[in-house]
Amino acid sequence: MSENILLQEWTGPFQGVPAFDKMNLKDLKPALEKGMELKLKEIDAIALTKEAPTFENTIVPLEKSGEVLDRVLVYYRIFSSNVSSPEYREVQAEMVPKLSEFDSKIQQNEALFKRIKTVYDNSLITPLENDQQRVVQLIYEGFAMNGAELDEIKKKRYAAINKELSSLYTNFANNVLADEENYVVYLTKDELGGLSDSFIKSMAKIASDKGEEGKYAVPNTRSYMDPFLTYSTERTKREQVWKNYYSRGDNGDEFDNNKNVVKILQLRKERVELLGFDNFGDWRLQNRMAKTPENAMNLLNAVWPSAIARVAEEVADMQAVANAEGANITIEPWDYRFYAEKVRKQKYDLDSDEVKQYLQLNKLTEALFFVAAEVFNYDFKPVAEGSVPVFNEDVKVWEVTNKTTGEHIGLWYLDPFARKGKRSGAWATTYRDYSTFNGKKNVLASNNSNFVKPAPGEALLVSWDDATTFLHEFGHALHFFASNVKYPTLNNGVRDYTEFQSQILERWLSTDKVINQFLVHYKTGEAIPAELVKKIKNAATFNQGFVTTEYLASAIMDMKFHMADPTKLDVDAFEKETLAALNMPKELVMRHRTPHFGHVFSSEGYATAYYGYMWADVLTADAAEAFTEAPEGFYDKELAEKMVRYLFAPRNAMDPAEAYRLFRGRDAEIDALMRDRGFPVSK
């Protein structure tokens, strides 16, 4: 324990912080093994207690258990998401099945579950305090949903399935990462048409780092693909970049994920059948807001016709521009972003590249802090360089305090830039969650992005979409910081609700106070012109056909795959045929094609739950209208306080539908979502 830094208690300021500067991959395997050993001893001690089961002698020690392992898993996730390497992946491949077996030992501990069930049954007769009742309910349901009540033969098979799935998930994710690292498009100097200077400099550096001096590299990640397809005038190169990106995991080689998808679906179906469910969706959604796959699909199907109708309008507009320019082409998926940008300029006189001149990452970070102060009463101050360990020099850290009282709330880590070994996309996570039952714990939260790192001395300019995502992920962090729960289990999110808190925060980007203070030109420092702001707001629903359809296609396919018979499934054919039956426009594809749909197939987090973004967006649009109607708009103190109290602070301490009714006085209505996207509202 004393020699392995990953096992040690966190020391230093702010109630102790992870020793990211001292973590060593060689310590990871023994630390995980020791952490699991210690937690299993704690579990056995609870299970073998002679006293009659109570909340205090069963649930409380269960909530306390695994502190050492929890610390190790923080480092494990950093190795996995932020600083991955081939050496790490070898350790991961060995440890993932062991971690699965470890989880099964706890979930299938018969003596432990008997105690949990007794406490649960007793609580139905003599209710506990509200938060204790919720904890017992969530723990009992978690064990029951994961096979605790099965007979021994079925338990053994259930555990074996989980073990096999854990390795498949890891393999799926690593295959996607391999295709992101292995497929690079190189450009020559005469193939840079339409691209910005900062983007060109970044591509030059990447090419140079890869030993291709004098060339320009387009890596196979969204942060490069998206702007390249938007601005590059080289159509053949756009096609190549598009095909590389949307073929990840689907290249018929050693990193192909199609067999992984089939096996994952087969095992998931077999596992839930052991529990008496017909399909994975029925099992998964029983404790979500949607409750059933049918309810989720009803929402997706309600929006789909308007979305594809809007795509047809968008494509017609783009084709007209291409024809007028004499391009002599038919719009293809690799043309969509490029010609959409031309239509934006034509219809709204709005140039995305012009908008980017006013979207600097450092100023957007200041905007995050401003919103946090105005709406959540938080103050963010940078900690002294070197006082808090980080795992990469680009990571910066801020202390979060209550603006009024000065009370310490936690630390916020920001890891903003793309680099080799870091998974693509943007995400938020915690290193330590808030709780008070075992001493008040502060929050250590992190936001992670993949912005293209600028050349030294250059400003980092981002698109409006990327700025929106930046606020989105910060919304998750604010949800972590706002937590006011006693027990750790209550910090666990409800998947079709947990995106609400991040999606609602996006709305502050287009508020006047943020625009007027933080959208300033990166060279002159002048505020964004009012005329340009007007254009941005006028174009708020522009391209919603594309945005909504590519998302909905992924959400619908997620559900369809899990409702289908996977025994003889051809993944590519099923995807193609299902989308054709939906009249999927040929000019775009799913946001996440199945062989690289990591949300769904590299873990179970979003499996039959990707619809949750749309479900949460119904709440978001409805709540946004409440702010629009408030006396002080999005900065209305009374409504903001109500939002924090009911929709952020409780985390999972109350039913989300009940929490929303306390905030709004009624259930959310889909009409707000349709208005928000500029779609027709049914009478």
Side-chain angles (χ1 to χ4, degrees):
M1 289 279 287
S2 61
E3 294 175 0
N4 192 324
I5 194 72
L6 306 189
L7 290 164
Q8 293 173 15
E9 283 195 34
W10 296 345
T11 59
F14 308 113
Q15 298 183 26
V17 292
F20 289 133
D21 58 334
K22 295 189 175 78
M23 65 184 199
N24 193 311
L25 185 57
K26 69 177 177 61
D27 294 327
L28 184 58
K29 179 185 170 183
L32 286 168
E33 289 173 336
K34 187 66 177 179
M36 288 188 284
E37 176 193 329
L38 292 171
K39 181 164 182 176
L40 287 176
K41 285 180 180 177
E42 294 167 336
I43 294 298
D44 285 342
I46 300 167
L48 299 175
T49 301
K50 300 299 182 186
E51 292 83 8
T54 66
F55 185 89
E56 291 301 325
N57 69 20
T58 301
I59 304 301
V60 168
L62 186 59
E63 289 288 272
K64 287 181 180 178
S65 68
E67 284 191 1
V68 173
L69 180 60
D70 288 344
R71 290 198 297 268
V72 179
L73 289 173
V74 166
Y75 297 111
Y76 180 71
R77 288 191 292 270
I78 292 295
F79 277 118
S80 175
S81 298
N82 300 74
V83 292
S84 184
S85 65
E87 294 75 21
Y88 160 74
R89 288 167 218 166
E90 289 181 14
V91 175
Q92 183 189 37
E94 182 181 353
M95 295 309 299
V96 158
K98 291 183 179 180
L99 286 163
S100 176
E101 287 181 326
F102 160 78
D103 285 337
S104 294
K105 285 177 184 175
I106 297 173
Q107 294 284 348
Q108 298 185 359
N109 186 311
E110 192 170 342
L112 175 66
F113 182 66
K114 279 183 179 177
R115 295 187 67 84
I116 292 169
K117 189 174 188 312
T118 299
V119 176
Y120 174 73
D121 290 342
N122 290 341
S123 76
L124 298 179
I125 300 166
T126 308
L128 302 162
E129 294 179 18
N130 287 345
D131 59 348
Q132 294 179 343
Q133 190 77 21
R134 182 74 169 169
V135 169
V136 172
Q137 175 195 343
L138 293 173
I139 290 176
Y140 168 77
E141 287 178 352
F143 273 76
M145 279 181 69
N146 284 285
E149 296 178 297
L150 295 175
D151 62 39
E152 286 308 308
I153 294 174
K154 287 182 177 178
K155 276 183 179 177
K156 189 174 181 181
R157 179 58 189 152
Y158 195 98
I161 290 172
N162 275 347
K163 181 179 178 181
E164 188 173 356
L165 280 170
S166 68
S167 294
L168 287 166
Y169 297 154
T170 301
N171 185 251
F172 184 98
N174 287 340
N175 284 347
V176 175
L177 187 58
D179 275 0
E180 289 179 350
E181 291 179 349
N182 293 340
Y183 285 80
V184 181
V185 174
Y186 290 100
L187 310 176
T188 59
K189 197 167 186 178
D190 60 356
E191 294 174 323
L192 301 174
L195 304 176
S196 68
D197 288 344
S198 59
F199 196 68
I200 289 169
K201 287 176 182 175
S202 177
M203 291 192 300
K205 184 177 188 309
I206 292 167
S208 177
D209 291 346
K210 291 179 177 293
E212 297 286 347
E213 198 70 43
K215 292 184 180 179
Y216 304 83
V218 186
N220 198 22
T221 63
R222 180 170 286 274
S223 57
Y224 280 88
M225 175 277 296
D226 207 292
F228 186 82
L229 294 185
T230 303
Y231 297 110
S232 173
T233 56
E234 295 291 322
R235 190 172 190 241
T236 55
K237 291 296 182 182
R238 290 204 309 269
E239 181 179 358
Q240 191 179 350
V241 167
W242 184 91
K243 286 182 174 176
N244 279 359
Y245 184 79
Y246 287 103
S247 297
R248 290 171 301 150
D250 195 25
N251 290 301
D253 56 12
E254 61 181 306
F255 302 118
D256 192 279
N257 267 329
N258 285 285
K259 287 182 180 177
N260 281 336
V261 170
V262 173
K263 193 63 180 173
I264 287 168
L265 291 169
Q266 289 172 345
L267 289 171
R268 283 176 177 170
K269 184 172 176 62
E270 181 188 354
R271 192 183 65 189
V272 299
E273 285 175 344
L274 292 171
L275 298 167
F277 290 89
D278 290 333
N279 61 69
F280 186 84
D282 286 341
W283 171 79
R284 167 61 77 197
L285 269 64
Q286 59 186 304
N287 63 353
R288 304 292 169 91
M289 289 188 79
K291 303 301 181 189
T292 68
E294 290 74 22
N295 289 339
M297 284 298 293
N298 286 342
L299 171 63
L300 302 178
N301 288 332
V303 182
W304 179 257
S306 294
I308 61 172
R310 181 59 55 82
V311 167
E313 295 171 8
E314 291 170 2
V315 171
D317 287 341
M318 292 187 288
Q319 190 65 58
V321 170
N323 293 346
E325 292 181 348
N328 195 27
I329 65 162
T330 299
I331 299 295
E332 298 285 356
W334 45 90
D335 299 316
Y336 207 115
R337 291 168 177 83
F338 181 73
Y339 281 99
E341 185 58 26
K342 288 177 177 284
V343 173
R344 189 201 309 268
K345 290 178 185 177
Q346 185 183 87
K347 271 197 166 185
Y348 302 98
D349 191 24
L350 182 62
D351 182 345
S352 293
D353 207 41
E354 181 185 2
V355 176
K356 283 179 71 171
Q357 314 308 307
Y358 297 91
L359 291 170
Q360 304 169 68
L361 186 66
N362 62 334
K363 298 300 289 185
L364 284 170
T365 307
E366 292 176 21
L368 300 185
F369 300 158
F370 171 77
V371 173
E374 292 290 309
V375 181
F376 293 79
N377 202 37
Y378 294 160
D379 189 33
F380 282 69
K381 282 193 171 65
V383 303
E385 197 84 20
S387 63
V388 172
V390 293
F391 50 82
N392 184 281
E393 62 181 3
D394 290 331
V395 180
K396 305 301 177 191
V397 187
W398 287 259
E399 182 187 8
V400 187
T401 57
N402 182 293
K403 199 171 69 163
T404 304
T405 65
E407 178 191 5
H408 172 76
I409 294 169
L411 296 180
W412 183 63
Y413 295 69
L414 176 63
D415 182 14
F417 303 127
R419 61 176 172 270
K420 186 175 182 180
K422 184 178 181 181
R423 72 177 173 95
S424 60
W427 68 96
T429 189
T430 54
Y431 307 142
R432 181 165 59 222
D433 288 313
Y434 180 86
S435 65
T436 59
F437 87 113
N438 190 29
K440 190 174 181 180
K441 301 282 199 311
N442 69 345
V443 178
L444 304 181
S446 170
N447 279 136
N448 308 269
S449 303
N450 269 281
F451 293 114
V452 177
K453 189 174 183 179
E458 297 282 334
L460 199 171
L461 305 178
V462 306
S463 69
W464 186 267
D465 285 348
D466 283 341
T468 301
T469 300
F470 196 45
L471 264 76
H472 175 106
E473 297 302 335
F474 190 61
H476 285 305
L478 291 174
H479 198 190
F480 304 146
F481 290 126
S483 175
N484 188 25
V485 301
K486 188 173 182 179
Y487 301 99
T489 288
L490 298 179
N491 277 305
N492 296 334
V494 179
R495 182 61 69 187
D496 52 8
Y497 176 61
T498 195
E499 293 299 335
F500 162 79
Q501 289 78 8
S502 53
Q503 289 174 184
I504 188 66
L505 204 79
E506 298 173 12
R507 304 309 175 102
W508 272 266
L509 178 60
S510 56
T511 60
D512 290 342
K513 288 187 177 183
V514 166
I515 286 171
N516 294 337
Q517 292 181 76
F518 303 103
L519 272 61
V520 298
H521 197 278
Y522 78 105
K523 285 183 178 176
T524 66
E526 293 179 5
I528 188 169
E531 187 60 32
L532 184 53
V533 173
K534 186 178 178 182
K535 292 176 185 177
I536 292 170
K537 292 187 175 181
N538 286 342
T541 60
F542 176 74
N543 218 33
Q544 274 300 322
F546 176 87
V547 172
T548 307
T549 300
E550 67 157 6
Y551 159 75
L552 283 174
S554 289
I556 291 170
M557 285 305 311
D558 167 33
M559 203 66 75
K560 294 278 191 182
F561 267 115
H562 286 92
M563 307 290 277
D565 180 358
T567 47
K568 295 181 180 178
L569 189 66
D570 180 323
V571 172
D572 282 344
F574 184 79
E575 178 185 293
K576 188 175 180 180
E577 290 163 8
T578 303
L579 292 174
L582 289 165
N583 295 317
M584 175 75 172
K586 67 176 181 60
E587 296 85 4
L588 72 163
V589 292
M590 298 162 61
R591 182 175 179 83
H592 307 286
R593 283 202 55 244
T594 310
H596 54 252
F597 202 170
H599 286 75
V600 172
F601 295 110
S602 66
S603 70
E604 291 190 10
Y606 282 91
T608 63
Y610 197 66
Y611 78 90
Y613 285 96
M614 183 65 72
W615 193 276
D617 211 22
V618 171
L619 305 177
T620 300
D622 194 71
E625 287 195 352
F627 275 101
T628 302
E629 296 159 3
E632 299 299 322
F634 279 85
Y635 296 91
D636 190 273
K637 297 295 184 186
E638 184 179 339
L639 191 60
E641 190 276 330
K642 202 174 178 183
M643 179 181 73
V644 175
R645 186 188 342 142
Y646 291 128
L647 303 181
F648 277 74
R651 300 286 285 160
N652 199 7
M654 69 169 71
D655 179 80
E658 177 190 343
Y660 192 82
R661 282 191 288 270
L662 288 169
F663 166 73
R664 194 70 161 109
R666 58 166 174 76
D667 290 327
E669 298 169 353
I670 191 175
D671 287 1
L673 173 83
M674 302 300 278
R675 283 190 291 270
D676 202 48
R677 296 182 181 229
F679 296 162
V681 177
S682 58
K683 300 296 182 186

